Amino acid sequence: MRVVEDDVHTTCSDADKSRHVSLVLAHKPSMGNASSMLTQYDIEEVQQHCNHAFTQQEIVSLYHRFCQLDRNNCGFISSDEFLSIPEFSVNPLSQSLLRMLDGLNFKGFVAFLSAFSPRATLQQKIEFIFKVYDSDCNGKVTFSDMLKALRDMTGPFMSEQQKEEVLTRVLEEAGYTKDSLLVLSDFMKILGYSGLKMEVEVPVD
């Protein structure tokens, strides 16, 4: 499983405001006997739970990957199991994602990935990003929350002053200030026309 940020641009120019986050499941499992552990009813239930973001074949493939990650065969994936994936452990947003991933069962695992599906709506994608930024899960995002995420994504490639200037510019263009407490509808307003692109690749046999 390869979790990467692909071509994430954060600058003051309008052309660079788009965010492109790609989450790739690089492993291609064999179909084997594990698929028999999912009944047709199970597959349809999971598909409905994720709003048909994945096909039934993709759900079976995701189940193979889930079983490989669930090393203790307990039906849940722990943060340690996710961190065992080298590509995930070095991802700059791994700690924020772990908060959302730790203890997920298979249905929750698929629901988490559904935001990256090309079939997901823009609102679903923005809701996912909002959860990443909402570090204390209180339904509000502050300037500090966004600055922390930007630090994680850009590292030393931008100075602290540049990061603050970028966020301030983006907020002001949307009619907000550094003191604004943003809720989900505010994120929809800010990112609704941003050219946001998030993808998941699920190999199927």
Side-chain angles (χ1 to χ4, degrees):
M1 181 178 182
R2 181 160 55 91
V3 182
V4 298
E5 291 173 273
D6 181 19
D7 193 22
V8 178
H9 303 285
T10 312
T11 69
C12 292
S13 64
D14 290 337
D16 288 332
K17 285 181 186 174
S18 64
R19 304 288 187 271
H20 182 185
V21 181
S22 175
L23 190 152
V24 182
L25 298 182
H27 178 80
K28 185 173 183 178
S30 60
M31 294 304 290
N33 292 328
S35 61
S36 63
M37 298 173 64
L38 279 180
T39 66
Q40 182 63 31
Y41 175 82
D42 293 331
I43 295 171
E44 291 175 358
E45 183 181 22
V46 171
Q47 190 175 36
Q48 183 175 1
H49 183 69
C50 70
N51 296 315
H52 294 265
F54 298 114
T55 67
Q56 293 189 9
Q57 277 187 307
E58 288 171 337
I59 288 172
V60 172
S61 290
L62 288 173
Y63 185 69
H64 278 278
R65 192 58 178 134
F66 178 86
C67 290
Q68 290 180 337
L69 290 172
D70 181 19
R71 296 177 179 178
N72 295 322
N73 297 317
C74 62
F76 297 87
I77 301 179
S78 68
S79 58
D80 288 339
E81 287 168 329
F82 273 108
L83 287 174
S84 69
I85 306 167
E87 295 87 351
F88 183 87
S89 63
V90 300
N91 186 278
L93 292 176
S94 61
Q95 293 304 312
S96 296
L97 294 174
L98 278 178
R99 174 175 49 82
M100 302 166 64
L101 285 166
D102 189 25
L104 288 184
N105 60 15
F106 177 61
K107 185 183 290 187
F109 177 71
V110 175
F112 170 84
L113 293 177
S114 66
F116 294 87
S117 168
R119 303 179 190 90
T121 65
L122 179 61
Q123 179 170 345
Q124 289 172 308
K125 297 176 188 293
I126 293 177
E127 286 176 355
F128 177 89
I129 293 175
F130 183 82
K131 291 177 182 177
V132 173
Y133 279 70
D134 183 15
S135 57
D136 55 5
C137 303
N138 68 348
K140 297 178 181 179
V141 172
T142 66
F143 185 84
S144 296
D145 292 330
M146 291 183 284
L147 189 59
K148 179 182 181 302
L150 187 57
R151 288 192 192 109
D152 292 339
M153 290 188 289
T154 60
F157 298 106
M158 294 177 65
S159 69
E160 191 71 9
Q161 181 178 350
Q162 287 176 316
K163 294 167 188 172
E164 292 193 16
E165 288 176 352
V166 166
L167 283 179
T168 301
R169 175 75 63 84
V170 170
L171 288 172
E172 288 178 349
E173 289 181 354
Y176 301 96
T177 70
K178 292 174 60 174
D179 297 324
S180 298
L181 291 176
L182 306 182
V183 295
L184 180 58
S185 59
D186 298 319
F187 258 56
M188 290 295 300
K189 179 180 177 181
I190 295 171
L191 296 177
Y193 301 98
S194 65
L196 182 69
K197 186 176 183 182
M198 296 163 55
E199 297 175 346
V200 60
E201 296 176 14
V202 183
V204 294
D205 287 348

